[in-house]
Amino acid sequence: MVKIAPSILSADFADLGTEINNVVKAGADLIHLDIMDGAFVPNITFGASIIKALPRHPGVEFDAHLMINQPENNLQSFLDAKVDRLAIHVESTIHLHRVLQQIRNAGVKPAVALNPSTPLSSVEWILEDVDMVVIMSVNPGFGGQSFIESMLSKVEQLKGMIVKKGLSTEIEVDGGVYPGNIRSLIDAGMDIAVAGSAVFNQPDYKQAIQDLKQA
Ligand code: DX5
Ligand code: ZN
């Protein structure tokens, strides 16, 4: 069964605690946290101190997605915020392997994210070192953008790489996921769907998550 990770980027920022409690009640499997620095992407969101203040629910992982340049400079604060998964972008650091190792050593699941134009070959030699690969299916920075169709075969090819290496690395797809395209992504090999607008911009969160899971 596909896991759904609602992105609080599209939630009501004035009432984040309630929003998280409500999507968990509605069936969210993970909570996706989009951290933006205004440099790696043209938008600024929130940092570790906000994450620390958010309500936690047993069994519902905090899935942090760092869209910041040189994440090594701020890594410790996100590790201290006790997220469960921490994704850094391939394009954001020169020493990708070292940063992933630091995340692993802190007891957090390391993950790597790829911009739409970044080739899969960029993760070939670190695939063994991550628990999850995030395929960006929009250009990072904003919620509510349209899914880039060519990312479907990127997911398919990544799944092939993972199977060929005999790994159990999870594939997360982030951006523009809706009930209308989720079936083809699951068939291509996606394990976790990030959903911002498809959950938080809907009137009924439970119905929205059900629509994604049953598509
Ligand atoms: C984009 C973020 C996504 C975004 C997804 O930079 O990484 O997580 O919030 O939002 P939707 O589902 O609306 O495309
Ligand atoms: Zn994200």
Side-chain angles (χ1 to χ4, degrees):
M1 177 66 113
V2 70
K3 291 187 246 181
I4 306 297
S7 165
I8 62 164
L9 186 60
S10 301
D12 177 5
F13 270 32
D15 204 359
L16 279 180
T18 306
E19 289 279 66
I20 288 179
N21 295 340
N22 286 343
V23 277
V24 169
K25 242 186 274 164
D29 297 290
L30 302 92
I31 299 295
H32 188 78
L33 306 166
D34 285 310
I35 296 120
M36 306 185 185
D37 68 352
F40 182 75
V41 288
N43 193 5
I44 301 177
T45 54
F46 51 84
S49 50
I50 299 278
I51 296 174
K52 269 190 194 161
L54 298 175
R56 311 298 288 250
H57 295 267
V60 182
E61 291 185 30
F62 268 14
D63 174 32
H65 175 197
L66 293 189
M67 286 159 275
I68 66 177
N69 278 329
Q70 293 176 281
E72 56 271 29
N73 294 344
N74 288 290
L75 199 65
Q76 196 55 48
S77 65
F78 293 103
L79 297 174
D80 290 344
K82 302 246 184 298
V83 296
D84 300 284
R85 301 178 183 228
L86 191 51
I88 55 168
H89 265 264
V90 170
E91 309 85 3
S92 68
T93 179
I94 296 170
H95 297 291
L96 186 62
H97 183 273
R98 178 187 291 154
V99 186
L100 292 170
Q101 220 66 51
Q102 286 167 343
I103 297 171
R104 171 87 67 207
N105 291 341
V108 173
K109 294 179 184 169
V112 72
L114 278 75
N115 280 339
S117 63
T118 302
L120 288 175
S121 57
S122 63
V123 295
E124 188 178 355
W125 298 105
I126 46 98
L127 213 45
E128 277 90 350
D129 303 294
V130 295
D131 288 1
M132 180 174 83
V133 178
V134 185
I135 296 293
M136 291 305 303
S137 41
V138 297
N139 286 294
F142 304 95
Q145 303 181 81
S146 305
F147 182 82
I148 299 170
E149 289 299 330
S150 54
M151 293 301 106
L152 188 60
S153 59
K154 197 176 185 182
V155 173
E156 222 164 52
Q157 284 182 34
L158 172 61
K159 184 66 182 177
M161 280 169 71
I162 292 168
V163 170
K164 201 169 158 198
K165 285 180 185 269
L167 300 170
S168 53
T169 323
E170 287 186 294
I171 300 176
E172 178 173 88
V173 177
D174 188 1
V177 178
Y178 277 92
N181 58 16
I182 194 168
R183 184 70 250 169
S184 52
L185 287 163
I186 296 167
D187 292 343
M190 174 183 70
D191 302 288
I192 302 167
V194 174
S197 320
V199 172
F200 284 108
N201 292 359
Q202 308 306 315
D204 181 341
Y205 296 166
K206 189 166 185 185
Q207 189 62 51
I209 292 175
Q210 252 173 35
D211 288 348
L212 287 165
K213 289 198 174 182
Q214 286 167 2

